[in-house]
Amino acid sequence: MGCLSFTPSLLPRGGIVQGLIVGITAAIGYGLGVLLACVWRAFADRAPRIPRRRAWAVFLVCAFVLFAAFFALGQYWQNEIRNLMGVKDYNILFAVLSPLVAALVFCLLLLLARGIRGLYRWAASLLRRWIGPRATHAVAWILAAGVTYLIVTGLLLDGLVGVANETFSLRDTTTTEGVQQPGSALRSGGPDSLVPWDSLGRQGRNFTGTGPSERDIAQFSHRPAMEPIRTYAGLGSASDTESRAALAVQDLTRAGGFQRKNLLVVTTTGSGWVDPASIDTFEYLSGGDSAAVALQYSYLPSWISYLVDQTKAREAGRDLFDAVYDVWSKLPAGERPRLFVAGESLGSFGGEAAFSGEYDLRNRTAGTLFAGPPNFNTLFREFSDRRDAGSPEVQPVYKDGRTVRFSNDPVTGIVPTGQPWEGSRVLYLMHPSDPIVWWSPRLVFSEPDWIGQAPGRDVLEGMVWMPFVTFWQVTADLPFSTGVPAGHGHKYAAEYVDGWNAVMQPSGVSGEDLSSLRSIIGAEK
């Protein structure tokens, strides 16, 4: 199991991460071996035997040869992945240290497992005084498992989440260097705004305190432009999600957002972050005749929010869209702005929550753009699982692409080409190498279609599925999903240019303009 963990996954791995994966999978392999041996002895009705010296010698020689061979193969595979993605960073010292890290992790997990076994034996020794041997074994294991579960979930997990929440809440009070309070009344936190600057949080201040100016947009489009409107409500702006949504929409109304031609509802990631590449592109392509509204629902970054804040993301997406739609739907039909929805990562999960399916997205929006959707997204899974026969999971086709489409790289085209894409357009951007898109607990025991089918453009053909191993490999990819060049992993940048161009269908935008905008957005990222 340890050797198999050297096989390639979605992203290049450093030596420390590789050692961590080897240690975990080797411990799982050891546990499976112990379990199988226990079952075999039960059928054979005999006690454990002391292994012979020859057995130890054969094992150690085989283990050394296999580990050395797979370690070398692992370095080759990692080099192939780095070349595929254009990654230059490589620390040979960490690669050399990976076996030591693996041994340390393996020993710690083994000690933990034997500690649980010791707890079971202690409980069994006490219970034997009052109940029979069969009941003793069952009850002792239940007690050991229960205590372990309570320690892991109640003390460790909750404690770590509490520490993380405290840490990131302090960070939320800071302001990114170079970001200043807006002097425009068209931004939350600016003059006459209903939302105080100090209540926006770090990411809210980034959202309203940055972005292309009227001059920047005019310089790009070579036409007169407008100053975009951005409104936002942070965790400190109101006590609950519904109140924050109402406040953000009130500020949007004050700033004149419903009088603009294009209105964008953004569901943020866990920390309240909105990808500048997405919102800036939207404003450039709309000529600044746009308004955008967002709110914060957590202090935690998305990779932690996956575990604890999914409900908050769903509530934020639904409450914000409903608050906007309530005002928008009461306007005269000819005076309504075009209503768009966007979200990246956990933001796409929250953004989906406001809609029941394809028809709802088509009927209530002018277009939707989701990037890097987590594998557990309800609508994403529905569209992907019910894809047209013959279309791969890495780029599925849903009902001939009449409303919903998927793209790994919209610059090269959005399938199915040649098919009509009328009315509201829904587009999912997803890289074949994005672990956020492909991670699922089902990887433990079942092979997904995306591995069994032809690999995507930035995934090695040598990637195969193995029980337990693949799950931990992709899990280890998650925290480093943005540590790769743009266009790979969970890093979306220039893709937004062609993605928003396809969804918004702006007039007067040439191929040369799109190329220029890709350079602008790529430089910002």
Side-chain angles (χ1 to χ4, degrees):
M1 291 283 282
C3 288
L4 291 175
S5 68
F6 281 105
T7 56
S9 60
L10 295 172
L11 301 177
R13 295 191 294 265
I16 302 300
V17 176
Q18 181 62 66
L20 181 67
I21 298 171
V22 173
I24 292 173
T25 52
I28 293 172
Y30 180 85
L32 291 173
V34 170
L35 177 62
L36 291 173
C38 182
V39 172
W40 171 254
R41 287 195 299 268
F43 278 103
D45 194 23
R46 66 171 177 81
R49 298 175 186 171
I50 297 175
R52 299 174 183 176
R53 288 186 177 181
R54 182 180 297 176
W56 272 112
V58 170
F59 166 74
L60 291 174
V61 170
C62 290
F64 178 81
V65 172
L66 283 173
F67 192 87
F70 273 89
F71 179 83
L73 284 171
Q75 301 311 304
Y76 168 76
W77 284 321
Q78 291 305 309
N79 185 60
E80 289 290 292
I81 299 175
R82 287 194 295 271
N83 290 337
L84 199 62
M85 297 187 178
V87 175
K88 304 299 182 184
D89 295 338
Y90 176 67
N91 192 314
I92 191 170
L93 176 61
F94 286 167
V96 172
L97 289 176
S98 62
L100 298 178
V101 175
L104 176 62
V105 172
F106 174 83
C107 291
L108 289 174
L109 292 175
L110 183 60
L111 288 173
L112 178 63
R114 291 188 173 178
I116 295 172
R117 186 181 66 180
L119 177 62
Y120 150 75
R121 289 176 174 173
W122 174 78
S125 66
L126 292 179
L127 292 170
R128 285 194 192 99
R129 304 174 186 176
W130 299 287
I131 58 179
R134 292 183 180 178
T136 295
H137 291 303
V139 174
W141 273 122
I142 291 172
L143 287 174
V147 170
T148 303
Y149 175 80
L150 290 174
I151 290 174
V152 171
T153 60
L155 295 179
L156 293 181
L157 184 58
D158 290 349
L160 290 173
V161 170
V163 170
N165 195 65
E166 185 68 23
T167 301
F168 285 105
S169 65
L170 290 174
R171 187 172 186 268
D172 198 57
T173 62
T174 64
T175 302
T176 305
E177 186 177 354
V179 174
Q180 297 181 347
Q181 185 173 359
S184 169
L186 302 180
R187 302 290 178 107
S188 289
D192 301 325
S193 173
L194 304 177
V195 187
W197 172 252
D198 292 339
S199 75
L200 291 173
R202 181 182 177 89
Q203 298 300 345
R205 288 188 284 273
N206 288 342
F207 180 71
T208 65
T210 61
S213 64
E214 177 183 348
R215 180 181 177 182
D216 294 331
I217 298 171
Q219 204 169 27
F220 157 73
S221 63
H222 307 293
R223 292 190 297 269
M226 300 177 67
E227 188 78 23
I229 294 172
R230 293 188 183 186
T231 64
Y232 191 98
L235 283 173
S237 304
S239 59
D240 57 70
T241 304
E242 188 174 350
S243 301
R244 287 193 292 275
L247 179 61
V249 173
Q250 288 171 15
D251 208 31
L252 180 69
T253 304
R254 173 203 61 79
F258 289 97
Q259 280 72 57
R260 293 297 176 96
K261 183 178 179 180
N262 303 283
L263 174 56
L264 177 62
V265 181
V266 186
T267 305
T268 66
T269 62
S271 60
W273 180 71
V274 177
D275 193 336
S278 177
I279 179 62
D280 291 0
T281 298
F282 184 84
E283 292 171 345
Y284 274 112
L285 291 178
S286 64
D289 192 0
S290 66
V293 58
L295 62 81
Q296 182 185 18
Y297 54 85
S298 174
Y299 294 121
L300 303 174
S302 286
W303 65 275
I304 301 178
S305 296
Y306 288 148
L307 301 175
V308 297
D309 281 343
Q310 290 186 25
T311 300
K312 293 181 181 179
R314 186 184 294 111
E315 290 176 352
R318 185 185 299 119
D319 289 347
L320 182 58
F321 183 82
D322 287 349
V324 171
Y325 191 80
D326 182 59
V327 177
W328 180 89
S329 61
K330 294 173 182 176
L331 297 173
E335 299 178 13
R336 296 171 181 169
R338 295 199 301 164
L339 184 57
F340 295 91
V341 173
E344 180 176 321
S345 193
L346 197 60
S348 70
F349 172 75
E352 283 188 356
F355 306 95
S356 59
E358 177 196 21
Y359 283 104
D360 200 18
L361 281 163
R362 186 165 65 191
N363 293 335
R364 293 206 291 159
T365 71
T368 300
L369 182 61
F370 291 138
N375 197 263
F376 52 74
N377 275 23
T378 304
L379 297 185
F380 170 68
R381 280 265 49 93
E382 177 186 331
F383 300 146
S384 181
D385 292 343
R386 298 181 181 180
R387 63 188 180 274
D388 295 351
S391 66
E393 189 174 13
V394 292
Q395 191 157 300
V397 175
Y398 179 74
K399 295 188 176 180
D400 291 325
R402 63 186 184 187
T403 300
V404 180
R405 297 195 179 187
F406 302 81
S407 179
N408 301 154
D409 183 5
V411 177
T412 60
I414 301 172
V415 296
T417 55
Q419 293 290 337
W421 197 10
E422 300 171 351
S424 298
R425 295 182 172 187
V426 178
L427 178 62
Y428 284 89
L429 298 177
M430 52 189 212
H431 296 147
S433 59
D434 188 348
I436 302 293
V437 175
W438 308 117
W439 182 90
S440 168
R442 293 189 296 272
L443 287 172
V444 176
F445 295 115
S446 59
E447 180 181 5
D449 291 343
W450 60 271
I451 291 183
Q453 297 167 345
R457 59 181 173 82
D458 57 353
V459 176
L460 282 186
E461 291 186 13
M463 183 176 182
V464 295
W465 175 82
M466 291 168 285
F468 297 105
V469 176
T470 302
F471 170 79
W472 284 110
Q473 287 178 325
V474 178
T475 299
D477 287 336
L478 291 174
F480 307 98
S481 58
T482 59
V484 290
H488 304 284
H490 196 58
K491 203 163 185 178
Y492 299 85
E495 296 92 334
Y496 277 117
V497 174
D498 295 87
W500 272 124
N501 183 61
V503 171
M504 297 173 68
Q505 306 175 75
S507 60
V509 177
S510 65
E512 187 178 342
D513 291 333
L514 294 178
S515 179
S516 173
L517 187 53
R518 285 189 214 108
S519 300
I520 294 171
I521 298 302
E524 291 178 354
K525 194 74 173 184

